[in-house]
Amino acid sequence: NSDYKLLNNKLTIGENLSISKTKEVQADIINAALQAVPLIPVHTADGVGWGGPVAGMNDRQNPVRVLEDNKQNGYYYIRVFGNFFADLKLFNHFTFRSNFGIDYGNFNSRNWQKKYVSGYLVNDVNKVINTQNQTVNTTWTNTLDYKLFKGAHKLDAIAGTEYFVATADFFNASREDFVLEDPDYMYLDAGAGTKDNSGSGSKNVLFSYIAKANYSYDNKYLLSGTLRYDGSSRFGQNSRFGLFPAVSAAWRLSEESFLKEGLAMFNELKLRFGWGKTGNEQIANNA
């Protein structure tokens, strides 16, 4: 996180960024251990093979085998999250702010399924599965802020636009039948069996016009109004935008001198009325 002041402190630019990398092994072992039959031995009598269920038992996996055969099956996830901003102080109490936010994620895994014999549970074909998933969400907001403090009057107004874009790309490929179950060998090109692949992508956009004003008199009487005009790519062009207003009014009783004695038990007491209209675009991109 850093910021820099320029032009005699009229311009401030900065950023807030975090970068993280996660590595985690995937094996749902707790549930398998809870459901495993305690009579099943960990290994066969020779100490090499895996113990497993026999006729008359349920088909729960040997949890030690599941853990051992999946210890190499992890994933890597890299995420960049943060924003860049610029604030410019203009004339007569106006401030312009531009803010660009990003949330980038990259998921990558190479998992392989080993051959095994565990009681009557048998897998005689090994397999490698490669998965890649990339998401990029960006938000660009531009606002003009006006603040006025004059005696008992306070006015704070803001207007601007916001542009949000979300994209995702997914890719998956697999191959069966590998001669060696070795991490240096278990790549797609080394397999001799069935190939499979799949992939997808998506994108949605939200564009908004925003306006809001807050007014207070003597810190007792409060008025607020908000107006949003939002458009989503998830709707058809004939009905893509919606208008969403909201208003509120409040009376801070605890600030009235003629009520302070009777309301001494309250740190703050306020009556507030509000009305608003909102919308919802949380539907599938192609619905």
Side-chain angles (χ1 to χ4, degrees), residues 7-287:
L7 303 179
N8 294 323
N9 293 333
K10 290 184 178 181
L11 176 64
T12 302
I13 59 174
E15 77 289 319
N16 304 279
L17 284 176
S18 67
I19 302 175
S20 61
K21 182 178 181 181
T22 304
K23 179 184 179 183
E24 188 174 29
V25 174
Q26 298 170 302
D28 184 15
I29 196 61
I30 301 298
N31 189 57
L34 289 171
Q35 294 183 346
V37 177
L39 296 174
I40 298 177
V42 173
H43 289 287
T44 52
D46 59 10
V48 178
W50 293 110
V54 295
M57 292 183 176
N58 63 35
D59 60 352
R60 303 301 179 192
Q61 289 279 7
N62 179 333
V64 180
R65 185 205 67 78
V66 173
L67 190 62
E68 183 67 23
D69 283 357
N70 283 278
K71 64 183 182 181
Q72 77 288 333
N73 286 342
Y75 71 84
Y76 294 92
Y77 181 70
I78 296 176
R79 187 185 188 195
V80 179
F81 181 80
N83 69 301
F84 303 87
F85 66 89
D87 288 335
L88 179 62
K89 295 179 181 179
L90 302 173
F91 52 89
N92 294 336
H93 314 288
F94 283 96
T95 302
F96 174 76
R97 179 180 176 90
S98 184
N99 185 87
F100 181 80
I102 185 168
D103 186 358
Y104 168 83
N106 189 291
F107 175 95
N108 195 311
S109 70
R110 175 172 64 105
N111 291 357
W112 32 298
Q113 301 169 358
K114 290 183 174 182
K115 296 179 180 179
Y116 67 83
V117 176
S118 183
Y120 65 76
L121 299 177
V122 178
N123 179 38
D124 54 7
V125 178
N126 51 26
K127 185 178 183 179
V128 165
I129 304 170
N130 278 27
T131 303
Q132 291 182 335
N133 188 16
Q134 178 177 273
T135 57
V136 183
N137 299 328
T138 59
T139 306
W140 187 28
T141 308
N142 293 282
T143 56
L144 187 63
D145 191 3
Y146 176 78
K147 285 183 171 64
L148 176 64
F149 304 100
K150 192 172 183 179
H153 301 276
K154 293 182 181 179
L155 177 64
D156 185 355
I158 189 171
T161 61
E162 188 167 77
Y163 182 55
F164 171 79
V165 182
T167 60
D169 291 288
F170 173 81
F171 173 76
N172 179 277
S174 66
R175 193 160 191 182
E176 297 180 346
D177 196 6
F178 292 80
V179 177
L180 299 176
E181 292 185 346
D182 183 277
D184 293 332
Y185 185 81
M186 297 286 280
Y187 286 91
L188 296 175
D189 279 354
T194 303
K195 301 177 183 179
D196 193 14
N197 63 75
S198 62
S200 64
S202 65
K203 179 181 181 180
N204 69 282
V205 177
L206 182 67
F207 185 76
S208 306
Y209 298 93
I210 308 164
K212 182 175 183 178
N214 298 315
Y215 169 78
S216 73
Y217 176 73
D218 203 21
N219 205 30
K220 301 174 186 177
Y221 314 108
L222 314 173
L223 289 173
S224 179
T226 302
L227 196 63
R228 292 185 63 99
Y229 189 57
D230 299 313
S232 172
S233 64
R234 289 171 169 167
F235 299 113
Q237 293 186 6
N238 60 332
S239 184
R240 180 154 287 173
F241 279 84
L243 184 65
F244 306 103
V247 293
S248 68
W251 178 22
R252 186 171 280 123
L253 300 172
S254 54
E255 293 296 316
E256 295 286 5
S257 57
F258 65 90
L259 292 174
K260 278 194 173 182
E261 278 193 29
L263 301 175
M265 68 182 73
F266 297 102
N267 291 324
E268 180 170 335
L269 182 63
K270 180 171 66 176
L271 295 178
R272 182 179 184 273
F273 167 81
W275 175 89
K277 182 181 179 182
T278 187
N280 183 7
E281 52 98 37
Q282 293 301 310
I283 60 175
N285 288 334
N286 56 356

